[in-house]
Amino acid sequence: MRGNPVKGAGYLLRGFSMLPEPGIRQFVLIPMLINIFIFSGAIWLLINEFDGWVNYWLGQLPQWMSFLDWLLWPLFAVLVLITVYYGFSMVANLIAAPFNGFLSEKVEKMRSGAVMEDEGWKGMLATVPRALQRELSKVAYYLPRLLLLLIISFIPVVNVIAPFLWFLFGAWMMAIQYCDYPMDNNKVSFRQMKVMLAERRLTSLSFGALVQIGMMIPLVNLIMMPAAVIGATLFWCEEHCSNQNVGH
């Protein structure tokens, strides 16, 4: 596989370091607040409903399988965590998509040295329909693969590799999720974006893997979204933009 995993992780770390920069910090605030609100809701829901959901699914098993409760409880617990995590991530990304696209555009302009004009709320709202359509394309790509992994997780013997597949899938989806913002801004199609990320698969996966790990760390996950948008924009600028004849 082509790419550089150290560079991929480095883009995200540089994204964190740029969060307080004067030229973009005002554009960081809204995605960060959306992330804080959505994931605080997810944590609250898990605290209040986690045991009830797991016990509900265990209760659906036939009586003669009750002796397997001790074995199936961890599996159902993991499935509940995965469902809540990915579900709330999708909601957060749908809501924040226009703001993330705007943030990515500002980072790209700042890095290129272009003059940054304040387009205000009118400019941001103009991007909403395209941003939501792009997010729905990601959901359509994501859901069939998610269902396939869920099926694999229930197949004896094969499900031994399920955690590894979940992690790889999560890393790939995080790369797609955040690299899509600068690429969409530059009129790169969703299909072409996947090809471009695959050409540097190790870089893409290491970037996405670090985003995924950060999303699971309390407090860090609250500022992960804007940092990942900035990091993905740096990835685009340094490894794709100069090699693509793409209009902005």
Side-chain angles (χ1 to χ4, degrees), residues 75 149 152-154 157-168:
L75 177 60
L149 278 176
I152 290 173
S153 299
F154 282 99
V157 182
V158 178
N159 62 7
V160 172
I161 64 169
F164 178 71
L165 295 177
W166 274 110
F167 184 78
L168 276 182

Side-chain angles (χ1 to χ4, degrees), residues 2 192 196 199-200 235-246:
R2 294 177 57 190
Q192 181 62 19
M196 291 168 69
E199 288 173 350
R200 293 169 172 81
F235 185 7
W236 157 260
C237 290
E238 296 181 14
E239 301 207 27
H240 295 294
C241 184
S242 60
N243 298 321
Q244 298 294 322
N245 184 22
V246 180

